[in-house]
Amino acid sequence: MVMNVEDTGLEVNNMYNLGEALYERAEKKGIELGIERGIEQGIEQGIEQGIERGTTQTLISMITRKMKKGKTALEIAEDLDEELSRIQPIYDVAGSFEPDYDVDAIYNALLAEREAVK
């Protein structure tokens, strides 16, 4: 089949348009997949942070209950079967919230202290 120049030009133009359309679809699909993956990662990260926060707040609550009874950081670490290195920073921060020991306020202070160190 012999094509004239005009037909060849139209064919090339059609192929170009098709390629461009396919590229745009692929780009859109890639963006959609990227957004989907980002949302999934955000949800996973949020769950992990929530678990960490809950665990830390529970530990703060246990520590402050023992602080109200006059226990030292070492005694609390032994009672809770935790490392002193985990108890001491919470104990130190919680001391400034005596006598109420607001768990949320202590948690936020610990976060602020960690951010200041970074």
Side-chain angles (χ1 to χ4, degrees):
M1 171 176 166
V2 177
M3 297 176 84
N4 64 33
V5 174
E6 196 173 288
D7 289 340
T8 304
L10 282 173
E11 189 69 24
V12 169
N13 191 33
N14 287 340
M15 290 173 65
Y16 173 79
N17 288 340
L18 178 62
E20 196 172 70
L22 289 172
Y23 175 79
E24 287 175 7
R25 274 178 68 193
E27 184 179 43
K28 183 178 178 185
K29 188 67 172 172
I31 290 170
E32 289 171 357
L33 286 173
I35 290 171
E36 189 176 305
R37 286 185 188 143
I39 290 170
E40 288 172 4
Q41 287 175 343
I43 290 170
E44 288 174 15
Q45 191 176 30
I47 290 169
E48 289 172 10
Q49 288 173 347
I51 291 169
E52 174 62 30
R53 180 181 181 124
T55 302
T56 302
Q57 286 180 324
T58 299
L59 185 59
I60 291 168
S61 179
M62 291 189 301
I63 291 169
T64 55
R65 273 188 268 138
K66 293 184 178 292
M67 289 174 74
K68 288 177 183 177
K69 295 178 182 178
K71 294 204 173 199
T72 66
L74 182 59
E75 290 171 326
I76 295 170
E78 289 172 355
D79 287 351
L80 299 178
D81 198 27
E82 289 282 349
E83 294 292 323
L84 181 60
S85 61
R86 180 142 191 232
I87 300 299
Q88 191 69 56
I90 297 171
Y91 185 91
D92 293 342
V93 170
S96 62
F97 290 88
E98 191 176 17
D100 297 329
Y101 297 113
D102 181 324
V103 172
D104 288 326
I106 295 167
Y107 178 81
N108 291 332
L110 283 168
L111 281 183
E113 190 174 279
R114 287 180 190 156
E115 288 298 315
V117 172
K118 287 183 181 179

